[in-house]
Amino acid sequence: MAKRKQATLTDIAATIGVAPMTVSRVVNRSGYVSKQTREKVLEALKAMNYRRNGLARNLKRQRTETVGLVLGDISNPYSTELANAVRETLSVRGYNLFICISEHSAKEDITAFQSLVDHNVDGIIVATRSNREGDEYLRDIVDSSMPVVVVGRDFQHNAVDHVSADNFTGGFEATQHLIDLGHRRIGFIGASLSNRSGLKRMQGYLNALEAHGIEIDERLITGRKESVSEVPGYSTEKMGYEGMKRLLSLPSRPTAVFARNDFTAVGAMTAIKEASLSIPEDVAIVGFDDIPLAVHTVPALTTVRQPMRIQGQLAAEMLLRRITSDEVVEPDERILNCELIIRGSTVPSA
């Protein structure tokens, strides 16, 4: 029995009455195709059981020696440290870096991914938060043989490497530290309770409270509520300031606060001082990241230090391994330890 011939782009184009270039644009996600025509092509691809020839694509496609990096809030020092580490690691190997920003929405994620694919980058590092629409699009990109590494994104694929800090343990230990100091009304600033499943730092905070039999009070948790198409992007200094003011307006305010990141903690500290309260005597505060500013706040900020530069270096090395390897690369996952750094914002100086 003769083997059934694999459908080609030309076969599909002839079947639905469009040019082969149009089908190619849909398959490669490059160039403009109307929504109606795109859907028509996708239906034909599925009906004719078209399978993309990844080997042929790699033989045809020449490397551009460029890599894409998708980041959240570029003003946050975490993003700066991560991007610099990626750039330096790539530079040694002769690669250039393109940076795209996606702060909150799945739409921004998809736009960034599409832009990098259109620019024929050799691979993509994604350091934004997971969301359903963005993950679906990213999965399609990976399936088209594009090398991808994710940093801190909850995204699973057998051809994607993952590097992240141990945010859950970091959040747990930050909250545990405040509990050990005798605090029982401990607030969280940087996200709403509905985001708990997507934020391991918040999960750590909640688990620490539960482990000590402390009731979770939703009034003590404050942050922007995202719509279905949005994700909890980086928490900002403004969010910390406004969130702390809301917490201080409660009839029974918290005696301690865990801020989702150091930027948020700095905003919260400003609000505490404006209310003529003392840190840590009236309100103790812990941040996360250990950005350079943390040691220079007054008082110096207690925080959870995560290895920002190491994450960037590892992500770049993982991606280069995928780009340059002629073999099938097994997925690699690195979860890096964090460290609680105790300073004056939780423990008064002698």
Side-chain angles (χ1 to χ4, degrees):
M1 183 175 179
K3 185 178 180 181
R4 185 178 179 182
K5 181 184 175 183
Q6 171 69 38
T8 66
L9 298 184
T10 302
D11 295 333
I12 294 166
T15 300
I16 58 178
V18 299
M21 179 58 72
T22 301
V23 180
S24 177
R25 285 177 176 174
V26 174
V27 172
N28 293 299
R29 296 180 179 85
S30 62
Y32 173 77
V33 178
S34 69
K35 181 179 180 181
Q36 182 179 4
T37 302
R38 183 180 297 276
E39 291 175 352
K40 190 176 181 181
V41 171
L42 290 173
E43 288 176 3
L45 290 170
K46 184 176 181 180
M48 298 179 71
N49 196 28
Y50 173 78
R51 289 179 298 171
R52 193 173 191 187
N53 190 332
L55 178 59
R57 174 180 178 270
N58 287 335
L59 290 172
K60 182 178 179 181
R61 178 178 178 270
Q62 294 182 346
R63 289 180 188 155
T64 60
E65 296 188 336
T66 58
V67 164
L69 172 62
V70 185
L71 289 172
D73 182 9
I74 194 63
S75 66
N76 191 302
Y78 167 82
S79 297
T80 305
E81 288 287 316
L82 185 74
N84 279 334
V86 170
R87 179 185 58 81
E88 291 168 4
T89 305
L90 293 174
S91 180
V92 173
R93 298 282 294 275
Y95 281 74
N96 294 312
L97 181 65
F98 288 164
I99 297 177
C100 290
I101 307 301
S102 173
E103 291 188 313
H104 298 291
S105 70
K107 182 179 178 181
E108 289 178 337
D109 258 6
I110 293 171
T111 299
F113 300 155
Q114 178 67 70
S115 176
L116 293 171
V117 170
D118 287 347
H119 280 83
N120 294 319
V121 296
D122 293 328
I124 301 174
I125 297 172
V126 181
T128 54
R129 302 209 61 80
S130 179
N131 59 84
R132 182 172 57 81
E133 295 92 341
D135 285 350
E136 289 176 358
Y137 199 90
L138 187 59
R139 189 165 286 107
D140 286 343
I141 291 175
V142 176
D143 289 340
S144 72
S145 303
M146 172 68 75
V148 170
V149 173
V150 295
V151 180
R153 188 181 181 108
D154 188 13
F155 177 81
Q156 301 299 321
H157 192 289
N158 60 9
V160 172
D161 299 324
H162 180 219
V163 58
S164 175
D166 189 350
N167 290 287
F168 175 84
T169 301
F172 188 98
E173 291 182 351
T175 311
Q176 177 72 58
H177 170 60
L178 294 171
I179 294 172
D180 289 343
L181 292 173
H183 296 285
R184 290 298 179 269
R185 287 189 62 76
I186 304 172
F188 182 93
I189 303 178
S192 64
L193 190 59
S194 61
N195 299 135
R196 64 184 298 172
S197 61
L199 287 175
K200 289 184 170 59
R201 295 177 192 182
M202 176 180 277
Q203 290 175 17
Y205 157 80
L206 296 171
N207 279 35
L209 295 181
E210 291 172 348
H212 289 270
I214 300 174
E215 182 180 357
I216 296 172
D217 187 345
E218 189 169 354
R219 294 170 299 177
L220 298 181
I221 300 173
T222 178
R224 188 170 71 96
K225 292 185 178 180
E226 287 79 17
S227 68
V228 174
S229 64
E230 291 181 318
V231 291
Y234 285 118
S235 182
T236 63
E237 187 175 353
K238 180 181 179 183
M239 190 181 292
Y241 177 80
E242 294 176 347
M244 192 71 242
K245 288 181 75 70
R246 284 195 291 273
L247 293 180
L248 293 177
S249 69
L250 295 173
S252 179
R253 60 173 172 78
T255 62
V257 168
F258 174 33
R260 186 173 145 196
N261 60 39
D262 290 348
F263 246 24
T264 303
V266 169
M269 293 174 79
T270 300
I272 294 170
K273 293 174 183 178
E274 283 186 1
S276 299
L277 297 173
S278 298
I279 306 170
E281 290 80 6
D282 296 314
V283 183
I285 187 161
V286 180
F288 202 110
D289 289 341
D290 196 25
I291 63 176
L293 178 63
V295 74
H296 300 295
T297 60
V298 181
L301 179 63
T302 293
T303 186
V304 178
R305 176 182 294 162
Q306 66 162 315
M308 295 177 281
R309 290 190 59 82
I310 295 176
Q311 290 178 72
Q313 292 166 359
L314 281 175
E317 291 169 358
M318 289 173 171
L319 190 66
L320 289 172
R321 181 186 62 139
R322 287 197 169 274
I323 291 171
T324 59
S325 177
D326 294 326
E327 306 289 333
V328 175
V329 178
E330 293 297 320
D332 190 4
E333 181 176 12
R334 308 284 185 90
I335 306 299
L336 307 178
N337 292 333
C338 297
E339 179 185 4
L340 179 66
I341 306 298
I342 299 174
R343 299 190 180 111
S345 68
T346 57
V347 178
S349 63

